[in-house]
Amino acid sequence: MPDTPRQAGKSLAAKLDHLFRTVRPKGGGEYSFEEVSDTLKARGGPTISGTYIWQLRKGLRDNPTMRHLEALAGFFGVPPAYFFDDAAAERIDAELALLTALRDSSIRQIALRASGLSTKSLDAITEMLERVRELEGLGETGEQTDRARPE
C-alpha cells in the first residue's frame, strides 16, 4: 500500500510547515494562509480556505483531497510526490535548502567565485569551511538552515 501523508516518516503538517518556512516570496516573509488560498483560487484550483490551510499546517486536519495537495504542491513549486514519497521529500528538501542558502548574497558570491577551480582547490576550500563551521559551533552543512547566520 502506498504511503499516505499520515504514514510517511514526516507528517503532512511537518511537510507543509517546512514549505511555508522555506519557500518565500521576494519580500522574505512567509506567505499568509489567505495569500495561498487566494492564489490557488485565482489559478482556477480547488477552493481551499486560509483556515483549512492553517489547520493542515498545524496538524488539526490531515486528510485533504488529492486536488488540494496537488494545488498546494503547485503553489510551492514542488511535485505532489513531496507529500507521499519520503525519498522524494528528502531530495526536494535538500534542493530547497540549497535554494534557501543561495538567497544569501554572500553565499551566492562564494559559490560563483568557486566556479572553475580545480577539484583539489575545491576540496581545500571545503575543508576550510568545515573547520570554520566547527569553530562557530555549527553542525554539518544544512543543519542550521533555519537559524539566522551570525554576523
Side-chain angles (χ1 to χ4, degrees):
M1 184 166 130
D3 282 345
T4 63
R6 284 182 298 215
Q7 294 169 322
K10 202 169 158 187
S11 71
L12 169 64
K15 289 177 181 178
L16 190 55
D17 181 62
H18 183 70
L19 290 174
F20 268 98
R21 287 184 295 108
T22 307
V23 179
R24 296 178 175 227
K26 281 210 185 261
E30 287 185 5
Y31 286 103
S32 73
F33 301 115
E34 292 306 321
E35 264 182 296
V36 176
S37 174
D38 293 346
T39 301
L40 295 178
K41 185 177 181 180
R43 291 180 181 172
T47 301
I48 181 170
S49 71
T51 301
Y52 186 65
I53 295 169
W54 172 79
Q55 291 171 334
L56 290 172
R57 183 178 181 185
K58 296 300 178 186
L60 301 173
R61 295 282 187 97
D62 64 355
N63 195 19
T65 66
M66 178 62 86
R67 284 187 40 138
H68 285 154
L69 289 178
E70 289 171 344
L72 289 167
F75 177 87
F76 287 108
V78 299
Y82 179 80
F83 293 113
F84 300 100
D85 181 340
D86 285 342
E90 193 173 314
R91 185 183 72 254
I92 292 163
D93 283 344
E95 292 170 3
L96 289 173
L98 174 61
L99 290 174
T100 300
L102 289 174
R103 279 190 211 139
D104 183 318
S105 62
S106 297
I107 292 173
R108 198 171 46 247
Q109 192 68 351
I110 289 169
L112 291 171
R113 293 184 59 90
S115 179
L117 296 177
S118 70
T119 302
K120 186 176 179 180
S121 293
L122 290 173
D123 288 345
I125 291 169
T126 300
E127 190 165 324
M128 281 188 263
L129 287 171
E130 288 172 1
R131 297 296 170 245
V132 170
R133 289 186 64 82
E134 277 179 32
L135 290 171
E136 293 200 5
L138 300 173
E140 293 293 318
T141 305
E143 284 183 13
Q144 299 292 327
T145 54
D146 293 335
R147 188 173 125 186
R149 197 181 71 182
E151 295 298 322

